[in-house]
Amino acid sequence: MSAQTLNPQFRNAAEFIEFHCSRFADQPAYHCLGQTLTFAELEEKSRNLAKWLQHECGLQQGDRIAIQLPNLIQYPIAAYAALRAGLIVVNTNPLYTPREMKHQFTDAGVKALVIFSDALERLESIKADTELEHILVTGPADLIKPPAETKHGYHDFVGAIEKGTRLPDLQPVKAAREDIAVLQYTGGTTGVAKGAALTHANILANAAQMDHRIGQRCTEGEEIFVCPLPLYHIYAFTVNMLALFSMGSMNILIPNPRDLDGFVKAIQPFRFTGLAGINTLFVGLCRHPQFQQLDFSSLKVTFSGGAALTSAAAKLWQETTGCPVTEGWGLSETSPVATLNNFGAEELGTVGAPLIETKVEAWDEAGNRMPVGEVGELVISGPQVMQGYWQRPEETAKVMQNGFFRTGDMGLVQANGNIKIVDRLKDMIIVSGFNVYPNEVEDVLSRHPQIVEAAVVGAPDDKTGEAVCAHVVLSEEVSTQEIIDFCRQELTAYKVPRHVIVHSELPKSTVGKILRRELRDQKVTASA
């Protein structure tokens, strides 16, 4: 496979969606809350909604539409409809605060919104400050049992689809491969959230790159993938809604992965073959009694991404399910996947080799390529790298250099070609001039039998500039000194935590990723 074969037959994502809906028409595409939709049903519903967006709303090619939903079947229907109508999809977290909603909607110039009913009250407080013209509302079970009436005064999701059946034919999309398909907003941890402008070529290329790697282990039309990661994150958007979709796989959508009882109940009837998650989810599931009783004989792929995989989580998952965890790496700006371990040759502690047509290098501060095995800032080039940040040329210029995207991740290229990430550049702790990477310390902490979760950040220190501060959740009481002594056996002196703070739980994102930035804001009072 070469760059010329990364889905070149499709001018845009609309053609891609229509082709695969036709190709796998009679097969199941999505399952959620007891309901299964075939590819043919998905095509029909998304076509009728696309017609409604074009004819009823008068939306034009390139207009932005935000989708603010959890993992419900309404999400792929809305996303495919938007792309088929020639619109730019703006993925939005349904738990956003009014401030975050206002920023994203105004920054992207969003004209239409598909919103979860639970978020309506937050929308009301900022709606007047946006350019929103069309608001489509849906609840969790609307596709199963449509609401008898709508009390919010906005358009009803099911009603719009039904109305679309009586509207004129869908106007073909004229979007070119280099036109923007998705605005994927970064988390905003380094300042204001920016929209990564991903073109049709970017997302179609990444879908093909993943299919190339997944195809080494999976078979077209036969896979059942569990999807707990939110579709509003670019990982599930590209991997589940494009790559796995184009292989004719069925995706089981999990609306609330934190509800482990509901999660296990949802997947119990299926002989699922694949799943993607992160440390906290792997550990939580493996400790769930009903999950341990499931039939894992068909499970052949488990992906990890979004946070560094700990050796403890990987070991527990393999012991429980018999399936190794295959770790990969990517960013919103790379559509997102850049690297992935090879199946059957997973190297724990690395994120694997670059995908086809992708280059990953380590650079020093001046942009010089580092020798093999030496740490630098990891940079990526390939057909999946974004066009730039939406309407932010200065921010784009900071991260794009000689065709490479500067990731802000520190890492190295090994002699075998696998990439090892040591940490985010901004998360690095400097103790008396020595670099300490939190991932390494967290991996050691996670091996302690009484530590359930761990996060490591830097804390100001008069003597050393910064000190290592460990935030932990315990399964049973243990002294902080014992934890420090445990670390001393595995880590050189300057990497050993100076402070250990015990929590009942650690702050997490909606996907369960531990939020170090919130822990950095907490005042350190406990000292060793």
Side-chain angles (χ1 to χ4, degrees), residues 75 93 100 232 301 319 352 376 434 484 505:
Y75 209 116
N93 186 334
E100 291 166 321
Y232 58 78
V301 174
E319 287 174 349
F434 293 101
I484 291 167
E505 61 179 337

Side-chain angles (χ1 to χ4, degrees), residues 6-20 61 83-84 86 171-181 198-205:
L6 295 177
N7 282 320
Q9 69 270 44
F10 305 110
R11 286 177 299 175
N12 50 54
E15 291 185 359
F16 172 90
I17 292 161
E18 289 161 6
F19 175 82
H20 293 297
Q61 183 175 312
L83 292 167
R84 295 180 72 182
Q171 297 300 307
V173 173
K174 297 175 183 174
R177 286 177 68 85
E178 294 312 313
D179 289 335
I180 299 170
L198 305 178
T199 66
H200 290 266
N202 289 154
I203 61 174
L204 292 180

Side-chain angles (χ1 to χ4, degrees), residues 11 47 60 76-77 145-146 181 194 206 210 240 243 249 260 266 289 305 322 349 360 384 405 407 438 445 461 463 489:
R11 286 177 299 175
R47 172 167 33 89
Q60 303 297 311
I77 292 172
K145 185 181 179 183
K194 305 178 289 288
N206 204 225
M210 280 299 287
N240 293 86
S249 306
L260 292 181
V360 178
Q384 72 271 52
F405 168 66
T407 67
L445 287 164
D461 188 276
K463 293 181 182 177
Q489 297 171 29

Side-chain angles (χ1 to χ4, degrees), residues 466-495:
E466 280 188 295
V468 178
C469 180
H471 295 262
V472 299
V473 175
L474 302 175
S475 60
E476 58 185 77
E477 193 172 337
V478 61
S479 72
T480 57
Q481 188 58 50
E482 184 182 325
I483 292 170
I484 291 167
D485 291 343
F486 178 83
C487 290
R488 282 203 177 111
Q489 297 171 29
E490 302 278 340
L491 297 164
T492 191
Y494 66 87
K495 298 179 184 178

Side-chain angles (χ1 to χ4, degrees), residues 49-59 65 81-82 85 87 112 136:
L49 184 57
K51 286 161 65 176
W52 185 85
L53 293 168
Q54 280 187 344
H55 299 300
E56 193 74 10
C57 300
L59 294 169
I65 179 170
L87 309 179
L136 200 55

Side-chain angles (χ1 to χ4, degrees), residues 83 88-91 180-184 196-199 203 234 237:
L83 292 167
I88 294 173
V89 173
V90 182
N91 287 315
I180 299 170
V182 176
L183 288 182
Q184 189 68 36
L198 305 178
T199 66
I203 61 174
I234 193 61
F237 187 93

